[in-house]
Amino acid sequence: MTQNKFQMQGKVKVINGSILTPENGGLRFVLNTNNLSGKVVGPLYTLFDKKWKKVREETKGWYANKTGAYKLGAVNTTAVQSDVWVIHMLCQGADLLTDVPALTECLKKVAQSAKSEKATVHISQLLVDEIPSLQDLVDKCLVKSGISVSYYKEV
């Protein structure tokens, strides 16, 4: 997608704080990754369990009820508050390795939803540490298309 002079670029903000208390008003999307094996592993689940136990439960339910829609590149949503949604991106294979084309597809879907819902996107540094290519892909798929993104350095 080429950017023209009429397109607004999103803003990027780095926050020393927890993804569990995303800043800004309005609807906030918190990104999370999922894998084809259905395992609920990774540093974010441990963090989510402190406040949003529903995330782990709904992730297990999505896997258990998988249909043709449970494939790489799919996204699913868990509303943890009326204005905070965890967006699950199915972008890892059963081997728990990130599939970059699937991640890109997920981020494009997140961008479409964020635009239509007028939402901001929030990402934990723990996720960026786990997937080094994430930050570049977020810039390409979200920020350049006008979505504001906040990164949280978990303290």
Side-chain angles (χ1 to χ4, degrees):
M1 179 167 117
T2 58
Q3 185 169 345
N4 63 43
K5 64 182 180 180
F6 300 107
Q7 240 176 344
M8 290 194 59
Q9 187 160 341
K11 294 183 171 118
V12 176
K13 186 176 182 182
V14 177
I15 298 166
N16 287 319
S18 175
I19 194 76
L20 298 177
T21 54
E23 292 187 1
N24 298 338
L27 184 57
R28 292 158 287 173
F29 288 175
V30 173
L31 297 189
N32 186 31
T33 57
N34 291 96
N35 58 69
L36 288 175
S37 72
K39 294 178 182 173
V40 285
V41 295
L44 283 182
Y45 284 104
T46 304
L47 198 59
F48 290 160
D49 284 347
K50 292 178 182 179
K51 186 173 181 181
W52 302 325
K53 293 187 185 306
K54 179 180 187 179
V55 172
R56 183 180 296 268
E57 295 165 14
E58 288 200 13
T59 299
K60 286 180 178 181
W62 185 32
Y63 175 76
N65 298 319
K66 64 183 179 237
T67 60
Y70 194 83
K71 61 184 179 187
L72 288 174
V75 295
N76 195 12
T77 304
T78 300
V80 291
Q81 294 170 202
S82 61
D83 58 351
V84 178
W85 299 356
V86 174
I87 308 296
H88 305 282
M89 303 181 297
L90 188 51
C91 62
Q92 295 174 331
D95 56 6
L96 306 182
L97 296 175
T98 300
D99 181 300
V100 173
L103 176 58
T104 303
E105 185 178 338
C106 290
L107 289 171
K108 287 178 180 177
K109 290 175 181 176
V110 170
Q112 289 174 339
S113 293
K115 277 185 176 183
S116 69
E117 298 287 342
K118 295 181 178 44
T120 53
V121 174
H122 302 262
I123 304 168
S124 172
Q125 186 64 42
L126 297 172
L127 200 57
V128 176
D129 292 346
E130 186 179 357
I131 307 169
S133 60
L134 180 62
Q135 201 160 352
D136 288 338
L137 291 171
V138 165
D139 187 53
K140 177 182 166 189
C141 298
L142 299 173
V143 177
K144 288 187 177 170
S145 65
I147 308 301
S148 291
V149 175
S150 295
Y151 290 97
Y152 291 79
K153 292 186 176 188
E154 302 299 326
V155 290

